[in-house]
Amino acid sequence: NAGVTQTPKFQVLKTGQSMTLQCAQDMNHNSMYWYRQDPGMGLRLIYYSASEGTTDKGEVPNGYNVSRLNKREFSLRLESAAPSQTSVYFCASSEVLAGDTRADTQYFGPGTRLTVL
Amino acid sequence: QKEVEQNSGPLSVPEGAIASLNCTYSDRGSQSFFWYRQYSGKSPELIMFIYSNGDKEDGRFTAQLNKASQYVSLLIRDSQPSDSATYLCAVNKDTGFQKLVFGTGTRLLVSP
């Protein structure tokens, strides 16, 4: 049981290049999330998917697109990378504990460290 | 005003002491509250959550919630050097689905 996996672990892009960050979970969770973490800003939600087939914008969606490929996989795409997108990107998935949505618990992947030059 | 506020620290405590980490939130409709621990260069991992006023204990950790004061705290008893990390407070406003708003975290340093 690997939990939440992300690829790649590190990536360096030039301004204007595109790339897709991959995320997969093997916990049979319905909900998946993409965050970015920047110094002094904390974790900020980019996009989320409440269930297979649905995606919604979070707090900072500009410059990103997502695809919920199936229940396991949720990818994040940067179409034209900018230096402002230099960050650490975390994928997470969540389950509901004991049938109570207040106790919905998110599990995070190891992160992708992205640098845009 | 930030939705979730934490003192960035560092909070320094000696080994064996009680570490007290605090968090305030602005939305009175917030339903549940989470504490995550994040070691340097690693991903956040859940310590515990709380959604009822009062205290909730789990081993050396106690979460305290006061909705009237919009305040949640985490106490770590018998602090160990391995507890040195950044502690993130997160708040969920939506009872139907979990969309967390995170604070920027408090860095805890436990000295031997």
Side-chain angles (χ1 to χ4, degrees):
Chain A
N1 190 339
V4 180
T5 57
Q6 292 182 236
T7 55
K9 287 186 168 55
F10 301 93
Q11 184 70 49
V12 179
L13 293 178
K14 295 180 179 178
T15 297
Q17 288 185 318
S18 62
M19 78 162 296
T20 299
L21 281 64
Q22 306 287 352
C23 174
Q25 52 93 7
D26 62 2
M27 296 176 282
N28 202 36
H29 290 170
N30 283 321
S31 304
M32 298 186 74
Y33 312 78
W34 275 106
Y35 293 90
R36 61 178 289 173
Q37 188 174 36
D38 303 290
M41 300 294 291
L43 279 159
R44 292 181 292 169
L45 184 63
I46 305 171
Y47 271 93
Y48 64 97
S49 171
S51 60
E52 185 179 356
T54 68
T55 60
D56 284 287
K57 296 178 180 179
E59 180 187 355
V60 288
N62 290 345
Y64 306 95
N65 284 301
V66 290
S67 295
R68 183 74 184 267
L69 303 170
N70 47 55
K71 191 172 185 179
R72 289 188 63 247
E73 299 172 288
F74 189 37
S75 63
L76 178 72
R77 183 160 178 84
L78 286 70
E79 291 291 351
S80 178
S84 61
Q85 294 178 303
T86 293
S87 188
V88 180
Y89 291 85
F90 289 104
C91 177
S93 67
S94 69
E95 64 174 354
V96 176
L97 297 177
D100 186 342
T101 57
R102 291 177 301 177
D104 202 8
T105 301
Q106 293 191 17
Y107 298 87
F108 286 80
T112 294
R113 282 147 184 81
L114 175 67
T115 300
V116 183
L117 302 176
Chain B
Q1 181 187 10
K2 290 183 180 178
E3 289 190 74
V4 179
E5 296 211 51
Q6 297 180 256
N7 189 317
S8 60
L11 172 66
S12 295
V13 300
E15 183 174 358
I18 296 175
S20 177
L21 303 160
N22 304 316
C23 174
T24 58
Y25 59 95
S26 60
D27 188 338
R28 285 194 171 275
S30 298
Q31 296 292 322
S32 49
F33 308 85
F34 298 77
W35 283 101
Y36 283 82
R37 177 176 62 198
Q38 186 175 26
Y39 292 111
S40 180
K42 302 296 184 182
S43 58
E45 54 180 338
L46 181 71
I47 298 174
M48 62 191 306
F49 64 88
I50 186 169
Y51 49 75
S52 299
N53 272 329
D55 294 359
K56 180 182 179 184
E57 187 173 317
D58 184 359
R60 295 187 296 112
F61 299 97
T62 299
Q64 298 176 317
L65 175 62
N66 184 326
K67 288 187 177 181
S69 300
Q70 296 175 242
Y71 177 94
V72 59
S73 64
L74 180 71
L75 302 179
I76 306 174
R77 290 182 300 281
D78 188 24
S79 296
Q80 301 297 309
S82 59
D83 295 325
S84 297
T86 297
Y87 289 79
L88 306 174
C89 172
V91 173
N92 181 25
K93 300 190 291 183
D94 191 333
T95 55
F97 178 72
Q98 191 188 68
K99 283 174 63 178
L100 296 182
V101 178
F102 283 83
T104 54
T106 297
R107 186 173 170 221
L108 173 66
L109 297 176
V110 182
S111 53

